[in-house]
Amino acid sequence: MSQLVVEDVIVEGGSYTKEELLEAGGISLGSRLPMFSAEDAETRILSSKPYIKSCNISVKLPNTVVIVIEEDRAVASTEIFGEYYALSGDMKVLERSSDPEAFKELIYIELPFAKRAVVG
């Protein structure tokens, strides 16, 4: 049995807790490193946390996983069919709300007709 197991996780950047990122990435302390896929964990984190712009996971032998996060921020909002959306600077949909006041602090932009919007 391999002695290379995840014993420590270091998170650099972002406002998410270590526990939130471990859960989102499917990373468990005690997991065997030879079976660990950083690419799969990155994909899971990016798909479940829309406010994360980039995620880079590396292994620092013998037993540490390093997660480097860069977060996005909402800069604008829009409405599509009665739902309100927070958008990043590059127009990524970060969040949805049915409350028209949810994103009132953001710049409101009128978009051309859209059939739907998907968070993330």
Side-chain angles (χ1 to χ4, degrees):
M1 186 155 162
S2 171
Q3 297 300 314
L4 299 174
V5 296
V6 178
E7 290 183 6
D8 190 24
V9 176
I10 298 170
V11 176
E12 298 175 2
S15 60
Y16 290 96
T17 66
K18 182 190 305 188
E19 291 74 21
E20 288 173 314
L21 294 173
L22 289 174
E23 182 179 335
I27 304 167
S28 301
L29 295 178
S31 295
R32 295 179 57 205
L33 281 171
M35 306 303 283
F36 176 73
S37 170
E39 185 176 319
D40 289 348
E42 289 170 358
T43 299
R44 285 191 293 269
I45 289 171
L46 289 169
S47 66
S48 68
K49 303 288 185 197
Y51 276 91
I52 294 180
K53 186 175 193 170
S54 69
C55 176
N56 187 322
I57 299 177
S58 60
V59 175
K60 185 176 172 183
L61 294 175
N63 57 15
T64 302
V65 172
V66 180
I67 304 173
V68 180
I69 296 295
E70 180 185 356
E71 286 188 357
D72 229 335
R73 66 182 190 90
V75 296
S77 68
T78 194
E79 179 206 356
I80 301 173
F81 295 117
E83 293 286 320
Y84 301 87
Y85 296 88
L87 307 170
S88 70
D90 60 357
M91 302 301 286
K92 177 182 173 187
V93 177
L94 299 174
E95 192 173 348
R96 178 181 63 203
S97 176
S98 58
D99 180 5
E101 298 294 312
F103 309 119
K104 68 180 181 179
E105 73 281 358
L106 301 174
I107 297 168
Y108 181 81
I109 58 173
E110 189 76 31
L111 294 177
F113 178 77
K115 290 183 180 180
R116 66 186 178 114
V118 178
V119 175

